[in-house]
Amino acid sequence: MNCMKRIGHIIVMLLFMALGCQAQVVGPRVLNMEQVVQLAQENSLSAMTGRNTFAAQYWSYRSYRAELLPSLNLSAGLGQFNRSLVSLQDYNSGAISYRANYNMSNNATLYVSQNIPWTGGTLSLSTEMSRLDQYSPSRLTTFYIQPLYLSYMQSLWGYNRFKWDRESQPRQYEAAKREYLETMEQVSQTAISYFWGYAAARESHERTLRSFDESKRLFQAAQSRFAMGTITRDQLLQVEVSMLNDSLAVHTSTVNLRTALNRLCSYIGYQEDTPLTLTASYEIPDLELNYDDVLERALENSSFRLEQEIQSIEADRSVARAKASRGVTASVNARFGMSGAADRLGDTFTALQDQEVVGVSLGLPLVDWGLGRGRVRMAQAQAETTRGRLQQSMVDYRQDLQTQVMQFNGQKLQCEISRRAAQLAEDSYSLALQNFGSGSMTMIQLDQLKQKRDAALSTYINNVASYWNCYFGIRRATLYDWITGTDISAEFDKLF
């Protein structure tokens, strides 16, 4: 009975292990191009990096928004014990003597502060209480309280950080959204290249297998014809050499196929030994793009224009900061409230007194040897350089986009021509095989036609891959799906 139990436990463990092994294989085994793109956007390292980059900008924007909201803070100094000698100077004689200082202080402040973005100042509403215990020369306890006081700090005609953040931060967050979408489209473009790279390697491998089978049959037929004396030994050796070359090509194509598969599996998050079957469709949509429409979509949807605006704002910010630090600087501090002090805590509230503290702080560099003016000039020069660079980048951006549209519009014709050329090359090679069997075609001529057939088919597959690469490149530049006619978007709130 115990033996049967043990066997049952072993069977259960084996079942769990089998289920665990099956659970490691995630996703379908038969994939088309759209599924490969989806898996790459979910599992690739580039997609994860894009999500983390957007998350960093998201929390930066959240921090900016938090600075505009009221904050509640508590500060305290507890158990501040002080037993030391302090120097005292007599008012009349000027003599210095040392007296013992022996006390302990405790204080706490609770305050609500609010940044004012329009002026750059800070408004605070606070309450404060402190206790001082004096142990020498006599025991004395004093309480000090400020039940409520209002304070305001403001820099006059200075640099207002909140004003510039209000211009740049929302744009940076919106640009981060678009950069995330562009990253996902770049991931799609890379996945497309791996997909068609594997499709080309698989087609090449299947082609070399067929060629090797054909060369083996030709070699057997050549041996029979050589035995009958209808071909020379030199012709027989040519057929054998072609068969051996095809055998080597099979090995090379097998390695290339495994390399392409490993690269694809690694990118979409599959194990390298996962058996995959890709269904590659060579049908391409009948789509022709207009440059003006593409440019309008790109400037409206992509991060390019926002990045230009942000750089221009940052250049103006640097000039404003340099001007604010030049010449006279001034700040105002104001504080209004009530305060009281007594030997007992309850008595502090009975003798409250008004408290008004207002002051202006000035700073004026009398001799700075042109330091402030130099900083302003340097910031202005850098701002002009930035504007010139932005203008040039806009010109380059338009030209690059126009080139992409021209390449895409011409790629469909390239696919049609190369498809026809591949079909003709295949027919020509099939006819040459028949002629070789009748003796009207040499092996050298047959090998030449086979190489032309292989090159034509490779060119056709590469042109189809280039078509999709160009299409996804324009998708990334415009964040627009031109086949479905919809903007590319994401549910950003669900990324966290």
Side-chain angles (χ1 to χ4, degrees):
M1 195 71 180
N2 291 333
C3 181
M4 293 298 295
K5 268 186 194 179
R6 192 174 297 117
I7 293 174
H9 291 162
I10 293 174
I11 292 174
V12 172
M13 290 176 62
L14 290 175
L15 286 174
F16 276 114
M17 291 175 62
L19 291 173
C21 292
Q22 292 178 357
Q24 291 177 359
V25 180
V26 179
R29 303 289 187 88
V30 180
L31 301 174
N32 56 25
M33 188 175 67
E34 290 76 13
Q35 290 172 317
V36 167
V37 168
Q38 182 179 359
L39 288 170
Q41 291 185 350
E42 292 174 355
N43 302 328
S44 68
L45 178 62
S46 300
M48 183 187 69
T49 302
R51 286 190 288 269
N52 291 334
T53 302
F54 173 73
Q57 186 58 47
Y58 169 79
W59 290 111
S60 175
Y61 181 71
R62 284 286 301 270
S63 299
Y64 155 73
R65 296 292 300 174
E67 285 187 315
L68 303 180
L69 300 175
S71 61
L72 178 63
N73 304 275
L74 174 65
S75 62
L78 304 177
Q80 298 179 354
F81 180 75
N82 186 352
R83 184 177 183 182
S84 61
L85 294 177
V86 295
S87 59
L88 298 177
Q89 187 174 18
D90 186 82
Y91 176 78
N92 295 318
S93 64
I96 296 177
S97 60
Y98 291 89
R99 297 296 178 90
N101 185 31
Y102 188 15
N103 60 49
M104 176 183 289
S105 62
N106 295 273
N107 61 81
T109 304
L110 181 67
Y111 60 96
V112 178
S113 62
Q114 170 68 60
N115 293 316
I116 311 300
W118 300 276
T119 62
T122 302
L123 181 67
S124 299
L125 184 64
S126 310
T127 179
E128 179 181 352
M129 183 180 70
S130 62
R131 169 175 171 164
L132 178 64
D133 292 294
Q134 189 74 34
Y135 302 114
S136 176
S138 61
R139 182 67 181 265
L140 180 63
T141 299
T142 304
F143 291 94
Y144 175 77
I145 191 169
Q146 292 180 295
L148 198 65
Y149 64 91
L150 185 69
S151 60
Y152 184 72
M153 294 181 294
Q154 169 71 56
S155 175
L156 301 177
W157 63 80
Y159 171 72
N160 184 359
R161 176 174 64 90
F162 299 105
K163 170 191 172 183
W164 294 100
D165 285 347
R166 192 167 64 250
E167 294 290 330
S168 63
Q169 287 291 339
R171 287 181 171 86
Q172 289 179 358
Y173 181 56
E174 183 62 31
K177 289 182 178 180
R178 300 183 185 185
E179 288 171 357
Y180 170 77
L181 295 176
E182 290 166 354
T183 300
M184 291 299 105
E185 290 305 303
Q186 180 62 57
V187 168
S188 301
Q189 195 172 4
T190 304
I192 289 296
S193 67
Y194 289 156
F195 175 87
W196 285 104
Y198 176 75
R202 184 186 62 184
E203 184 65 34
S204 175
H205 179 65
E206 293 174 352
R207 192 167 61 245
T208 56
L209 289 176
R210 292 195 302 268
S211 296
F212 183 50
D213 290 338
E214 293 169 355
S215 62
K216 285 191 294 184
R217 289 195 298 269
L218 290 176
F219 181 64
Q220 292 173 357
Q223 285 179 320
S224 300
R225 293 176 60 186
F226 177 72
M228 293 185 295
T230 57
I231 63 172
T232 64
R233 181 171 180 78
D234 179 62
Q235 292 174 324
L236 177 63
L237 292 177
Q238 290 179 3
V239 176
E240 185 176 5
V241 168
S242 178
M243 182 187 67
L244 294 176
N245 288 335
D246 287 339
S247 176
L248 294 175
V250 168
H251 174 72
T252 302
S253 66
T254 302
V255 174
N256 292 338
L257 181 63
R258 171 52 63 180
T259 301
L261 178 61
N262 290 344
R263 187 180 295 115
L264 175 63
C265 288
S266 174
Y267 197 70
I268 64 177
Y270 277 31
Q271 297 294 329
E272 67 274 4
D273 56 349
T274 303
L276 285 181
T277 301
L278 298 184
T279 57
S281 174
Y282 292 89
E283 295 294 328
I284 57 177
D286 187 11
L287 180 64
E288 185 169 352
L289 301 179
N290 180 270
Y291 165 70
D292 293 332
D293 295 337
V294 172
L295 177 63
E296 181 181 359
R297 291 286 182 182
L299 295 178
E300 180 181 353
N301 293 346
S302 71
S303 63
F304 177 76
R305 173 172 285 179
L306 280 176
E307 290 292 345
Q308 286 210 319
E309 293 177 0
I310 292 170
Q311 293 182 41
S312 178
I313 291 173
E314 291 300 322
D316 293 337
R317 181 204 290 261
S318 299
V319 174
R321 185 186 295 114
K323 288 182 176 179
S325 62
R326 178 192 62 177
V328 178
T329 60
S331 61
V332 60
N333 296 292
R335 182 169 175 171
F336 306 94
M338 306 289 290
S339 62
D343 296 340
R344 292 187 305 174
L345 179 61
D347 295 340
T348 58
F349 293 94
T350 61
L352 292 176
Q353 297 182 1
D354 292 340
Q355 182 185 67
E356 297 87 15
V357 179
V358 179
V360 177
S361 301
L362 296 176
L364 175 62
L366 299 179
V367 179
D368 67 349
W369 310 105
L371 179 62
R373 183 177 59 182
R375 288 174 176 171
V376 172
R377 295 289 179 85
M378 182 175 63
Q380 290 173 340
Q382 292 176 347
E384 289 298 324
T385 302
T386 299
R387 293 188 184 94
R389 187 178 67 251
L390 294 178
Q391 291 178 359
Q392 183 61 45
S393 64
M394 175 60 77
V395 174
D396 296 340
Y397 180 78
R398 290 171 178 265
Q399 292 177 351
D400 181 66
L401 201 60
Q402 187 176 34
T403 302
Q404 291 186 55
V405 172
M406 293 176 61
Q407 288 177 343
F408 174 78
N409 289 335
Q411 197 61 38
K412 180 175 175 59
L413 180 61
Q414 293 290 330
C415 291
E416 294 174 352
I417 294 174
S418 59
R419 181 180 60 83
R420 179 60 178 163
Q423 183 61 51
L424 292 175
E426 182 67 36
D427 295 341
S428 178
Y429 178 70
S430 299
L431 182 61
L433 278 176
Q434 299 175 6
N435 294 335
F436 183 80
S438 63
S440 61
M441 176 72 67
T442 65
M443 194 65 207
I444 295 177
Q445 293 173 325
L446 186 64
D447 283 341
Q448 290 176 348
L449 289 174
K450 181 171 66 176
Q451 292 173 4
K452 289 182 179 179
R453 179 203 64 176
D454 295 345
L457 185 56
S458 297
T459 301
Y460 172 54
I461 296 175
N462 290 334
N463 279 330
V464 174
S466 297
Y467 176 90
W468 288 112
N469 183 70
C470 291
Y471 174 73
F472 276 89
I474 292 178
R475 267 182 48 136
R476 179 170 58 88
T478 59
L479 295 182
Y480 187 78
D481 190 339
W482 295 91
I483 296 178
T484 61
T486 56
D487 288 326
I488 297 172
S489 60
E491 296 180 344
F492 294 100
D493 295 338
K494 296 184 179 180
L495 291 178
F496 307 102

